[in-house]
Amino acid sequence: MATGTLVTLILGGLTAMPPLSMDMYLPALPEVTNALHTPAATIQLTLTACLMGMALGQLVVGPMSDKWGRRRPLLIGLLVYILATAICALAPTAELLIAFRLLQGLAGAAAIVIARAVVRDLYDGVEMARFFSTLMLISGVAPIVAPLIGGQVLRLTDWRGIFVVLTVVGVALTLLVWRRLPETLAPADRHDGGTAEALRTMRGLLADRVFTGYMVAGGFAFAALFAYISASPFVIQEIYGASPQTFSLLFGVNSVGLIIVGQINGKLLVGRVSLDKALGFGLAVITLAATALLLMTSGVFGDIGLAPIAVGLFVLMSAMGLAMPNTNALALMRTRHAAGSASALLGTSSFLIGAIASPLVGIAGERTAVPMAVVQLVCALAAVGCFVGLCRPWQQNQNAPVPGPRAAAAPVPEQGTTPLPEQRKTDR
């Protein structure tokens, strides 16, 4: 076993940072709007800023981790995250809150991109897909717990207390990484080049049609998810009159669905059903759920209550358990020579597309859920289009490694089932 239980939990904690940073804050969005005397569309920019920071930060941190190893950039990013989150708790204006949410996202990007690169260092093939599903189980607890914690924190204090809790979480995770996470990228496998080589590596990755197809399909699927994350506090609480605690409960139930489907993917489907088939089915279900939500929110079925909307959102969220781990695994299976850069591109595309989708869900105001459903359906259709048009899963040899500076020396097996030998030594 290449990774111990504690290391697996640390990687899960790192991948949980985005949902923690986003979801714990969601029940407080209406309160922040009132406290800072700012329109809801402006407060939604605090989500967009954090998401944009996470997108851009990955482009920097990914190549840095290929050059310097995984630990150093990760620890620096976590320290800056702690500082930015603490300042968010003191922000007196919406503008300052937006600015430091951007910095929080830039620093938090280190956790996302390096956790994914570490998995690529340690695993390959279907074993990597299984491990991503395991991480989904661990990190999937965050969307369940985070809004519940946020809702309870709001009972004791105001929205600023949520950022205090996030600061404490950042400190705890930093200490665990410093003490317990080993370096997984051997010095011999690091890239000595600077920015120019990093750009050449990324250009080579983007030139691979199949890698780009999985990357963009995953980005649009994530955007459909983030449209839900950004709009649901207003849709469920303002339009349908639910309390922050009810919203947190519904959000948690949806996250349970994502976890269950993710585990079905990792434990039952991987190795028995091709990753492409599982991914295609997940994208189809997301599209159907988004279509149903659009029909319901636009009044085709008359005046409906919260229950049908909640069911539609549950189905859409659950299907993400097939889409997200498989797009990551299928894309990373094509590259071993620059896992950090590949991970950065995967994360950046998802967060950039999500950041664009976020403000669109509130474009018609706080009293209609139609924009949320429209954005989700458009993103789902775009993901299906990329999967079919670029990945072309019916073609042969689609999991061949992408040419790169180390690809010739270290080819990627298509269906590896064991951790890489050199990484077993590194992790000991």
Side-chain angles (χ1 to χ4, degrees), residues 97-355:
L97 181 60
I98 292 170
F100 279 95
R101 285 284 278 174
L102 176 64
L103 180 60
Q104 183 191 42
L106 287 168
I112 311 165
V113 69
I114 292 177
R116 195 161 43 226
V118 167
V119 174
R120 184 63 186 91
D121 291 341
L122 298 174
Y123 292 101
D124 194 24
V126 296
E127 199 67 18
M128 180 168 54
R130 288 196 178 100
F131 197 83
F132 274 126
S133 292
T134 300
L135 287 186
M136 180 165 290
L137 171 63
I138 300 169
S139 63
V141 173
I144 300 172
V145 175
L148 295 174
I149 294 175
Q152 295 308 310
V153 169
L154 292 177
R155 287 179 175 268
L156 303 175
T157 182
D158 61 7
W159 61 272
R160 299 180 188 276
I162 293 175
F163 287 106
V164 174
V165 174
L166 285 172
T167 302
V168 173
V169 171
V171 171
L173 192 55
T174 302
L175 291 175
L176 281 173
V177 168
W178 178 50
R179 295 291 300 274
R180 297 295 184 179
L181 184 66
E183 178 60 64
T184 59
L185 186 66
D189 293 328
R190 297 176 189 177
H191 298 178
D192 297 327
T195 304
E197 182 181 342
L199 292 175
R200 283 195 300 270
T201 300
M202 289 185 176
R203 186 169 61 246
L205 291 168
L206 292 174
D208 176 51
R209 170 179 52 79
V210 180
F211 174 87
T212 301
Y214 289 125
M215 178 188 74
V216 181
F220 276 113
F222 179 82
L225 170 64
F226 197 74
Y228 157 74
I229 292 174
S230 181
S232 59
F234 297 99
V235 170
I236 293 175
Q237 295 181 71
E238 301 296 327
I239 298 177
Y240 292 98
S243 67
Q245 288 70 37
T246 300
F247 163 74
S248 300
L249 178 62
L250 290 175
F251 199 94
V253 168
N254 291 341
S255 300
V256 169
L258 187 150
I259 291 173
I260 291 174
V261 174
Q263 291 312 292
I264 291 173
N265 178 71
K267 305 298 184 184
L268 299 179
L269 299 183
V270 171
R272 296 180 176 88
V273 178
S274 76
L275 300 184
D276 279 309
K277 287 182 179 178
L279 172 58
F281 181 76
L283 293 177
V285 173
I286 292 170
T287 304
L288 291 174
T291 302
L293 285 167
L294 179 57
L295 293 175
M296 288 187 289
T297 57
S298 59
V300 171
F301 301 119
D303 187 14
I304 62 173
L306 176 59
I309 299 294
V311 171
L313 292 173
F314 175 80
V315 173
L316 186 143
M317 277 283 285
S318 298
M320 294 292 171
L322 292 175
M324 292 193 295
N326 289 327
T327 50
N328 283 332
L330 284 163
L332 287 172
M333 280 168 65
R334 299 186 62 80
T335 175
R336 177 183 168 190
H337 63 275
S341 296
S343 177
L345 288 173
L346 288 171
T348 297
S349 63
S350 295
F351 282 83
L352 279 178
I353 298 172

Side-chain angles (χ1 to χ4, degrees), residues 346-380:
L346 288 171
T348 297
S349 63
S350 295
F351 282 83
L352 279 178
I353 298 172
I356 294 170
S358 174
L360 298 178
V361 300
I363 199 169
E366 304 172 35
R367 299 299 174 185
T368 175
V370 171
M372 177 190 73
V374 169
V375 171
Q376 288 173 331
L377 181 57
V378 169
C379 290

